[in-house]
Amino acid sequence: MPTPLHLLEDATEFHARHIGPDAADEAAMCAAIGVASRAALIDKVVPASIRRGQGMDLPAACTEQQALAELKGIAAKNKVFKSFIGQGYYGTHTPGVILRNILENPAWYTAYTPYQAEISQGRMEALVNFQTMVCDLTGMDIANGSMLDEATSAAEAVTLAKRSVKSKSNRLIVAGDVHPQTIEVIRTRCAPIGLTVDVGMAPELMNQGDYFAVVCQYPSTTGLIHDLKAFADQAHAKDAAFIVCADLLALTLLVEPGAFGADIVVGNTQRFGMPMGCGGPHAAYLACKDAFKRSMPGRLVGVSKDAQGHPAYRLALQTREQHIRREKATSNICTAQVLPAVVASMYAVYHGPQGLKRIAERVASYTAILSAGLQKLGLKVVTPHAFDTILVETGARTEAVLAAAVQAGANLRKVSAQHVGIALDETTTRADVEALWSWLAPAGAALPKVSDYAQGVESLIPAHLRRSSAFMTHPVFNTHHSETEMLRYIRSLSDKDLALDRAMIPLGSCTMKLNATSEMIPITWPEFAHIHPFAPQDQLTGYTELNELLTGWLCQATGYAGISLQPNAGSQGEYAGLLAIKAWHESRGEAHRNICLIPESAHGTNPASAQMVGMSVVVTKCDKEGNIDLADLKAQCEKHAANLAAIMITYPSTYGVFDTHVKEICAVVKAHGGRVYVDGANMNALVGVAAPGQFGGDVSHLNLHKTFCIPHGGGGPGVGPVCVVEDLVPFLPAHRTAGLGKETNIGAVSAAPLGNAAVLPISWMYIRMMGADGLTKATETAILSANYIAARLSEHYDIHFSGGIAGVKGGGVAHECILDLRPLKDSSGVSAEDVAKRLIDYGFHAPTLSFPVAGTLMVEPTESESRYELDRFIDAMVAIRQEIEMVEAGEWSREDNPLVNAPHTALVCGANEWTHAYGREVAAFPVPSLRRAKYWAPVGRVDNVYGDRNLFCSCVPMSAFADEQE
Ligand SMILES: *Cc1c(COP(=O)(O)O)cnc(C)c1O
């Protein structure tokens, strides 16, 4: 028999790996919902008025191997040059044990933000190590658990200062030798809120007039180490805050900013083991003095205690703070940079204080030798005091020097027509220093050798600015220095956490879908990883092509005309999008338009972002079906017609509802002069089915870390592209430091032109492998799975905001469904939080708790979960409902039942003493499958109130574990 030709086709299509349910599962799921097919379900739940007219024009799907080969070809167009540019980005050696066991390990990269404290103790310990490391190195009282990048962190420090100081001035002073990208982002962020920025920090300037804060760089962007004490004193005399942007490696050798009066210290941790990655992702940091702590932006991990009194970590103070404080929130930061922060903290754990100092001394010594050699060659070095960076006067030879370096495969920094900057780092070798001399030497000069300086050279660090204080003395930084110990420490932490590599994480609004291994592989390719963001454009051709392809594909998916990938989280995309709307109004002479309508269902970042661009938030109502209240919207539009700037809606809404009036809503707002912002966090319910750019949106952000497969990393990195219709394209973010953008473009919103560039290959791979049909099927399956859960659980729980669609059991939802537990609170005393914690005993990460409605759980299964896993979750929820019935029936008391006591630790279940009304087996193994595979929560229920009352955000002293040593 002849071989059929179809056997020559590739055997496995990627979409069949990405999408959990197969055809048989799909049929069974449709039957449970009561619909004939997936297509029939989509026809019922997605309003016909918004369906796409035509498909997405994308390349046909391909296999993992083909996509990797194609991307390798694009990557190869980047030129991996040795970088001496500095300016905030440096070469670093990622220790192999950290590269493989954290950066490339799904136990770390597929975890979610640690809102459920009990299943996140491992990553929170790593973040507490990060906070302790930052506090110690900067000499500050408190540090948070990562910021998006150095430039935005500096901008956040400015607004933190504005909120905290006595000075009533609106004027900010920024030293001229702060990194230029930081100055650019500070300017972008200050303008819309009426803060003026004066660049230049001469003592005379600081004596003239009032100001609320001063920002300076230590060491400066050109490498100079300033003695900043007098400036700090001068700022304090004006009741202003003194903000220092500092390099952590330098701080191992330099007097810490806390010692000379800094109020806030910010910076990047990239050189602690994260590759440059064309600008990101990296964790920035923000540390401040104690008096500012309650106004700090970002995520802060604190130490509290669990139900048994043992130390336990939790997110402190700011937990979900935008959701509570909305437009009064301290910042809009939601997704941050947790994975890079974990890498940086582990780099510090592995090297320890002595190792870090050794690395820094080596860099400083090479810098001193480089400087001495250049002077011997007759060149003028204009940075007498330096750590790793020097500025050299190259005069008329500047271009020739830069060209000689490029010829040899290296980049120097052109600081002016007469000056070249050279930055060294951990990867610098003797050969590098000698090569640098050869590129800078005047023709015919005799070249020095590093061995000429065998006797040592004078340090460029002034004696009085040498650090004398100890840092990182906690045992965690002084124990795990062998690779065996390090490997086990990393493993012991990841074992404490529940990530996607163990179970589904059905978090509504967060889209925890598969992060395929083939999508992850390219991010550590040297052609993507070892690229400086400010390298010459002709070396970034691969990144340029990646950017063009990805933005083109995302335009297809969204129906928009232009996209910028610069924002490095959804919140930053919101900020950039609103700024574009504001700039558009200004361009038409309508700068007064400043009202932003936001429905009460909105995610907290929406009002927080609106406030940051200087808009006033007006909240509009929703009806009992979860739709925007059209009458109220019309009334608000009329009332604010003269000043209406925009509306921010989420579609499908955060209630998981496809509002059938969305087109009308958009039209009403536009008729009153406003623009429509559609929060694209729920794009997983739309790709291939409906496009916001077609049904009325003017601007959206996407969350590539939700819909387009970038892993959540335990709370970042993310990418939040901002997408706009044609007439707003001229207002997308520029990056003037990198020479990008025209007059009309808004300023940079991230430190690097392409933001978190190094994770973009993940989304590229996903779209390339799925193709238009695969993506559409993914969307439809995500909706199918949510409706399957709603249908099956509707017999046991109230499904909130559903019931509008006839013939769909469960009432019909979008890609997520809300379980209303409030009635059960009344009948049994069991809260939504108790159910969330009890799910841990069943081996699950809880759904989104009390957002967008208090007392509910919002379940989003995504297309990637198999029917087996969906059923396992449904079975757990049904079993939990039966447990609640036991309480309702009085079999178990309201005070002592497996729900209020959850989660149960091994320590509790294994103790000799057992006083509960239910058995140990009910506590630990409520369903039989747990007997074979059991996840044990490492701590019991964490006490939130105690944690905020007794705020403690550093490594736990060993004495707290004294009972373990009995
Ligand atoms: C996740 C989310 C955001 C914020 O995105 P980040 O990337 O976390 O900043 C905004 N809106 C909605 C509806 C979201 O779900």
Side-chain angles (χ1 to χ4, degrees), residues 95-275:
V97 65
I98 295 175
L99 177 74
R100 174 151 298 180
N101 299 290
I102 292 181
L103 204 52
E104 298 178 343
N105 181 353
W108 287 94
Y109 67 68
T110 68
Y112 184 64
T113 305
Y115 289 131
Q116 292 294 327
E118 297 81 1
I119 51 111
S120 316
Q121 293 292 301
R123 53 194 184 273
M124 285 203 280
E125 176 163 329
L127 290 174
V128 162
N129 293 344
F130 178 91
Q131 292 172 183
T132 306
M133 161 188 98
V134 170
C135 280
D136 283 11
L137 286 171
T138 57
M140 301 306 286
D141 298 324
I142 189 164
N144 69 14
S146 89
M147 298 291 282
L148 291 162
D149 59 30
E150 177 164 332
T152 54
S153 189
E156 296 282 354
V158 167
T159 44
L160 169 59
K162 184 75 189 102
R163 287 193 294 276
S164 310
V165 297
K166 279 209 211 99
S167 169
K168 290 282 165 272
S169 168
N170 282 331
R171 175 166 163 250
L172 173 73
I173 294 182
V174 182
D177 56 7
V178 169
H179 290 320
Q181 69 273 21
T182 303
I183 300 178
E184 184 174 350
V185 172
I186 288 177
R187 283 189 191 281
T188 306
R189 297 265 291 246
C190 282
I193 46 176
L195 303 178
T196 57
V197 182
D198 279 345
V199 175
M201 203 180 72
E204 311 82 72
L205 185 68
M206 291 186 60
N207 281 331
Q208 289 162 10
D210 280 338
Y211 44 88
F212 69 92
V214 175
V215 182
C216 55
Q217 189 101 35
Y218 181 67
S220 81
T221 193
T222 54
L224 207 55
I225 305 171
H226 295 291
D227 185 345
L228 294 169
K229 172 100 177 61
F231 293 96
D233 292 345
Q234 233 177 329
H236 291 150
K238 296 265 185 184
D239 286 333
F242 196 66
I243 301 168
V244 180
C245 307
D247 179 87
L248 284 188
L249 191 63
L251 294 185
T252 65
L253 304 183
L254 302 183
V255 169
E256 62 277 23
F260 55 74
D263 299 291
I264 309 172
V265 187
V266 298
N268 199 354
T269 65
Q270 177 266 320
R271 71 192 313 175
F272 279 24
M274 274 302 280

Side-chain angles (χ1 to χ4, degrees), residues 332-335 508-510 569-572 574 603 605-606 650 654 679 681-682 701 703 705-706 718-719 851:
N332 65 344
I333 299 174
C334 185
T335 292
S509 215
C510 304
S571 62
Q572 308 302 297
E574 290 173 21
H603 191 270
T605 51
N606 292 184
T650 304
T654 56
D679 181 325
N682 289 343
H701 76 265
N703 302 65
H705 46 298
K706 294 177 180 171
V719 177
F851 170 80

